[in-house]
Amino acid sequence: MADVTLIAERIIRRFARDTNLLVAGRSVHISAVQPETAQLVATSRELTRMLSALGAHVVTASRHNATASAHLLDIQLDAAGPDSEITATLLLGGAPLPSRGDADGRIDFAGEHMPVSRLVAKGLGERGSIRGLRIGIAMVLEPKTAQLALLLAAAGADVAVYAHPDEIDASVAEALRARGIAVDGSETLSGQAERAAALAFLERGFDILIDDGSHLIRLAHEDAPHLVKQWIGTNEETTSGLTPLRHMSTMGILDTAVFAVNDAQMKTRFDNRYGTGQSCVFAIADALDRVGVTVRDQPALVIGYGPVGEGVAAHLAALGAEVRVAEVDPVLALRAAHDGYDIGEAAELGSGALVVSSTGVAHTISADLARTARAVAVAGGVPGELDLDGLLVGDPAEQLTPLAAHIERADPAGTLVLDRGGCINITAAEGNPIEIMDLSFAVQLAAVEELVVTRPAVGVHALPASIDDIVARAALAARGEHIDTPADDQLAAAHDWRSRRYLSSSPNQETR
């Protein structure tokens, strides 16, 4: 019998790769043509197991509501005979998977699957709260970011976008320019030319800057502090970007208001955990598959067990890897242990393993660790997270031999190096799934209005919990989901400060 686990994995990865849509939370229906062979039955069972482990809802044809039907993934399995290759027809909302086509098609497809961001942006436009403001976006440029720029522009802002050389989709940049959005940066830049391009972008002069990694915020503080003083404030998208900003605030050198968008529940609990987990692990599996290596049944070391590491570990485990975790934070290490993973030191656990850094901290995967690993990849996303320079000039110096797209072998160690340590879901794939970025960008849009309305003081600020509530309710409505509401007695009890243990013996029973 064929390897049904690999067949199931490839079907799921094909859906994600062709659509850039999310598996977790999606309703999936699996069917097989008649007569069912033993191989078809085994593949269907493995698909059910794997999809459930990834957070999907495997349903019967009747167990989904009308709103969810548009998002239902239907997997139809077929095989001409007991020894024939299994094929899968994938339907989304009852129709074949759409061809997203060129950059314009991918931008439009993303927009169709970002209802929450559209709703929040519509409110900004109706209230006129950002009309005429100059807003800069310094983020990975792919179809979802293009939609964020278009939504802000539709709400009345003057928008410009900058992307780093390794984070720009040139075709998307050109399509966005054709739609009237200024785009700076190029995949051809490096060194001083890259720095000059980033400064030129800042010199456009913004009221609000939306950053990813705080690279532009920090550069402005270094080389253009006069521009920082003109800002209403900034939004920061990532954990790795907020850490240095908090250091700057402690040192007294931060000179702008920063909303910690990354820390909003509707960002970090979904984007980091489900989005980065899926996109990075699937990109890793795609790359390894090209050289005949599977994630399944091999040790995998995840370094860092924050929300990104948690998601990477869960997705690796769902695909059948033997997951281990290295973590310097004792609380997070205990969480990993209670989630069922072996914990310990990276140098010990990484030997012979697929090693994935999820820290967002440079030098996480040292040259020595890389030499002992079977494969190395980065899900955290800061330059130098894999010490590639140390690997190539150390003793012994490794030579990189290209094997396939996004994968090389370091010789003489034999380690498989994925995309030279770039953030694998960006450099080798299309970033996080569309529905996940819909939530993150809805938070970004709400945070922009919060900056304008509240004008916070210099410092790093948490977003109000009301934004999480608004975005979550909009997301549930878009899915056609309904949630419970507390009964009157529950509400009354929640607001009564007295201990219910002694209420019956209290001489004074009136409501206080």
Side-chain angles (χ1 to χ4, degrees):
M1 183 180 289
D3 186 342
V4 296
T5 299
L6 184 58
I7 292 170
E9 180 186 324
R10 284 174 172 169
I11 290 170
I12 296 168
R13 285 193 279 116
R14 171 158 65 97
F15 164 73
R17 187 171 56 248
D18 289 352
T19 64
N20 197 217
L21 294 176
L22 186 66
V23 173
R26 182 171 301 282
S27 293
V28 183
H29 176 246
I30 303 168
S31 60
V33 297
Q34 300 293 333
E36 289 189 345
T37 65
Q39 188 165 287
L40 281 173
V41 171
T43 303
S44 178
R45 286 175 178 166
E46 184 59 14
L47 271 169
T48 298
R49 182 204 67 77
M50 194 174 292
L51 285 163
S52 298
L54 290 166
H57 304 278
V58 181
V59 299
T60 63
S62 60
R63 274 192 56 226
H64 56 276
N65 60 41
T67 303
S69 294
H71 306 284
L72 177 73
L73 171 61
D74 197 346
I75 302 176
Q76 300 177 348
L77 301 174
D78 195 4
D83 298 320
S84 298
E85 180 181 355
I86 289 180
T87 61
T89 300
L90 305 183
L91 304 177
L92 185 63
L97 293 186
S99 172
R100 294 185 289 158
D102 60 8
D104 279 305
R106 290 189 291 133
I107 291 170
D108 291 340
F109 182 84
E112 292 168 7
H113 293 269
M114 296 175 67
V116 186
S117 291
R118 289 201 310 269
L119 180 64
V120 176
K122 181 173 181 287
L124 294 181
E126 290 172 347
R127 293 186 291 276
S129 50
I130 62 171
R131 188 172 297 125
L133 291 181
R134 300 164 298 170
I135 299 179
I137 302 173
M139 308 184 86
V140 177
L141 181 53
E142 36 73 47
K144 288 92 68 181
T145 309
Q147 277 294 332
L148 174 64
L150 292 168
L151 289 171
L152 285 166
D158 179 9
V159 181
V161 178
Y162 175 82
H164 306 293
D166 57 340
E167 297 180 351
I168 185 169
D169 183 321
S171 62
V172 170
E174 192 56 39
L176 201 52
R177 292 186 187 106
R179 300 191 189 198
I181 303 294
V183 179
D184 294 336
S186 166
E187 71 278 9
T188 65
L189 298 176
S190 63
Q192 288 302 313
E194 179 185 351
R195 188 183 186 96
L199 284 169
F201 169 75
L202 290 168
E203 289 288 354
R204 286 180 176 274
F206 298 113
D207 299 300
I208 292 171
L209 180 64
I210 300 174
D211 208 349
D212 183 322
S214 72
H215 301 293
L216 274 290
I217 297 173
R218 287 181 278 167
L219 179 61
H221 278 76
E222 280 189 77
D223 285 6
H226 63 287
L227 296 175
V228 177
K229 296 183 183 300
Q230 299 173 15
W231 297 343
I232 294 172
T234 64
N235 291 344
E236 173 50 41
E237 175 84 356
T238 65
T239 305
S240 58
L242 284 171
T243 297
L245 294 178
R246 289 189 167 111
H247 289 328
M248 291 169 66
S249 182
T250 300
M251 296 166 65
I253 59 177
L254 184 67
D255 205 19
T256 185
V258 179
F259 268 137
V261 169
N262 174 78
D263 295 350
Q265 291 192 69
M266 289 305 299
K267 194 280 181 185
T268 196
R269 287 182 180 268
F270 295 87
D271 187 324
N272 299 23
R273 166 61 171 82
Y274 299 100
T276 306
Q278 173 180 308
S279 59
C280 286
V281 170
F282 284 12
I284 289 168
D286 283 343
L288 292 175
D289 203 3
R290 297 184 191 107
V291 294
V293 177
T294 67
V295 169
R296 183 179 80 254
D297 297 331
Q298 69 165 305
L301 170 64
V302 178
I303 307 180
Y305 203 67
V308 169
E310 183 182 347
V312 169
H315 283 78
L316 284 170
L319 298 190
E322 300 168 7
V323 179
R324 309 146 173 193
V325 173
E327 173 58 71
V328 298
D329 184 303
V331 175
L332 295 179
L334 278 173
R335 283 187 56 190
H338 283 73
D339 284 340
Y341 305 121
D342 288 340
I343 60 173
E345 297 180 2
E348 177 185 352
L349 299 179
S351 180
L354 162 63
V355 177
V356 184
S357 175
S358 303
T359 64
V361 178
H363 302 293
T364 292
I365 303 178
S366 68
D368 288 342
L369 177 58
R371 287 190 185 93
T372 68
R374 185 180 189 191
V376 291
V378 168
V382 302
E385 204 160 330
L386 163 66
D387 185 9
L388 188 63
D389 290 340
L391 188 65
L392 298 180
V393 302
D395 185 14
E398 304 287 336
Q399 300 292 322
L400 295 182
T401 303
L403 300 179
H406 307 294
I407 188 165
E408 297 167 291
R409 185 181 63 242
D411 294 315
T415 305
L416 299 176
V417 179
L418 277 64
D419 239 355
R420 300 201 165 199
C423 190
I424 193 69
N425 65 336
I426 296 169
T427 58
E430 203 174 354
N432 284 353
I434 294 169
E435 300 103 326
I436 283 292
M437 296 312 297
D438 183 28
L439 302 180
S440 291
F441 286 163
V443 175
Q444 283 282 7
L445 290 162
V448 165
E449 184 170 42
E450 190 73 10
L451 277 172
V452 175
V453 172
T454 65
R455 307 282 173 135
V458 168
V460 179
H461 304 273
L463 282 170
S466 58
I467 288 179
D468 280 323
D469 187 77
I470 290 168
V471 172
R473 290 183 183 279
L476 287 167
R479 291 171 57 92
E481 304 282 5
H482 302 282
I483 62 173
D484 207 353
T485 55
D488 290 343
D489 287 346
Q490 286 179 287
L491 289 172
H495 289 87
D496 188 348
W497 60 266
R498 296 170 298 173
S499 168
R500 296 194 64 79
R501 182 176 295 276
Y502 303 113
L503 281 181
S504 60
S505 59
S506 174
N508 187 2
Q509 292 293 315
E510 72 269 12
T511 302
R512 301 183 185 183

